[in-house]
Structure formats: C-alpha cells, structure tokens
Amino acid sequence: MSLRHAVLGLIAELDGASGYDLLKMFEISLNSVWPATQSQLYGELGKLTAEGLIEVVAEGPRGRKEYGITETGRKELERWITEVEPKVPRRDDALLRVFLLGQVDRERALSFLERQRERVEERAAELARLEEAVPWDEDNLSFYGRLVMEWGKQSLRARRDWYEWARNEIESRR
C-alpha cells in the first residue's frame, strides 16, 4: 500500500507530474527506501486515477499525461501519514544468516561477516554519491529528503559497526 502513498505524496509535493517525472523522482529520492519499477509506477497511476485520488491535469505530445492530486487524494494522503501506523520491518535476510552461522566453519562465518561489512560500506559510498548529486533546495522534498538521507547514513554506520563487533566476537570465541 505504501507505493500508492509515495506516488500521492510526490504528486502533491510536485504540484503535478508525469509518470516520467515521478519515475525520475523515485530514482533520486525514494529508491533507497522504497524503490519502484516503471511498470509498478504506471500501474499505480492507473489505479489512483480510477479511484479518483489523482486526475490528469494536462496532456502533451506522445500521450504524456501530467497528474495532479484531488481533494480526496490529499485527504487519503494526510490520513495515511498521520493515522496509519508504519510497519516496522521485521525480516532481515542477513541477520537470519548470522543467526545460523554456527552451521559453517569459523573462517566461512568470518568471511560472511566481512563481505556484509563491505557491502554496507559500498552502500554508504553510493548514498554519499547520491547526496552529492542531488540538487538540494529549500523545498519540502529537499528538507525531508535530507532527513531520510541522514537516517540512511546513520543506520549504515550502525550496521557496519555491528558487523565489526560481531566479527570480533567470533574471533575471540574459543
């Protein structure tokens, strides 16, 4: 359900946007927390239009449509933001594997943790490049986007530190 609300929010924030505009915004802003494919996005635009939450506000060449949020859509977005409790992610594939590391020899366990730490470092570097590439402004998307960006940076640092700690724990175990 959150894809629909991400689309509603972007349309409201951008005050009208085409599917292409939205896809680009997903790529530079939401991709690290809520990715969407082109087919998912365009499918959601069709559903939101059919439900009266957005409407086509302009049409251009080659069938380009620009969407705007309706009053019903704005109310739904506000309700979702303020009244629906977010789901806390509970599944973590990497931590499930850590839980089962006792099933492999020590060296493979240490190697696994090191690979995961390296992957986190790579992701942190990607995030740093994205942060440099985004044309930050004083608008809402920039302000709140920076808050989410900072969460990503801090959570990656915490995860990296935890992998190092876990590796040290295994190394010191007799």
Side-chain angles (χ1 to χ4, degrees):
M1 287 302 267
S2 295
L3 175 59
R4 75 181 5 233
H5 294 97
V7 172
L8 278 174
L10 283 177
I11 290 172
E13 194 62 51
L14 297 172
D15 196 25
S18 70
Y20 178 82
D21 297 335
L22 292 167
L23 192 58
K24 290 299 165 200
M25 283 305 297
F26 263 92
E27 288 174 4
I28 66 170
S29 64
L30 291 172
N31 203 37
S32 62
V33 295
W34 206 268
T37 64
Q38 181 177 356
S39 62
Q40 289 171 323
L41 178 65
Y42 280 94
E44 199 60 50
L45 287 171
K47 291 175 192 173
L48 291 169
T49 303
E51 293 173 29
L53 300 175
I54 62 173
E55 61 189 352
V56 176
V57 294
E59 292 192 44
R62 296 180 305 282
R64 183 184 189 276
K65 295 178 184 174
E66 190 170 301
Y67 298 89
I69 192 166
T70 64
E71 189 57 36
T72 303
R74 188 169 301 284
K75 286 178 182 173
E76 169 55 21
L77 179 61
E78 290 175 6
R79 181 198 68 78
W80 180 79
I81 291 170
T82 61
E83 297 174 21
V84 177
E85 288 301 317
K87 294 177 184 171
V88 178
R90 296 179 59 193
R91 292 183 178 188
D92 189 314
D93 186 46
L95 290 181
L96 174 59
R97 293 166 194 242
V98 170
F99 183 77
L100 299 171
L101 277 179
Q103 300 303 307
V104 300
D105 65 56
R106 182 175 179 217
E107 289 309 310
R108 291 183 82 186
L110 292 171
S111 176
F112 171 80
L113 290 172
E114 182 59 22
R115 279 195 324 274
Q116 298 315 301
R117 189 196 61 74
E118 289 170 358
R119 287 184 67 216
V120 168
E121 289 288 341
E122 289 168 9
R123 182 66 187 114
E126 289 172 15
L127 207 52
R129 285 190 297 275
L130 177 61
E131 185 176 31
E132 289 295 317
V134 170
W136 299 107
D137 200 350
E138 296 304 316
D139 60 6
N140 282 341
L141 284 178
S142 291
F143 178 81
Y144 292 102
R146 280 192 291 263
L147 293 180
V148 172
M149 178 76 68
E150 186 60 30
W151 177 88
K153 291 171 15 184
Q154 289 187 31
S155 66
L156 287 170
R157 280 193 298 268
R159 194 159 182 117
R160 177 205 59 211
D161 293 349
W162 182 85
Y163 279 126
E164 290 174 2
W165 173 86
R167 194 174 198 291
N168 290 336
E169 288 293 303
I170 292 173
E171 285 178 332
S172 66
R173 185 172 186 219
R174 295 280 170 205

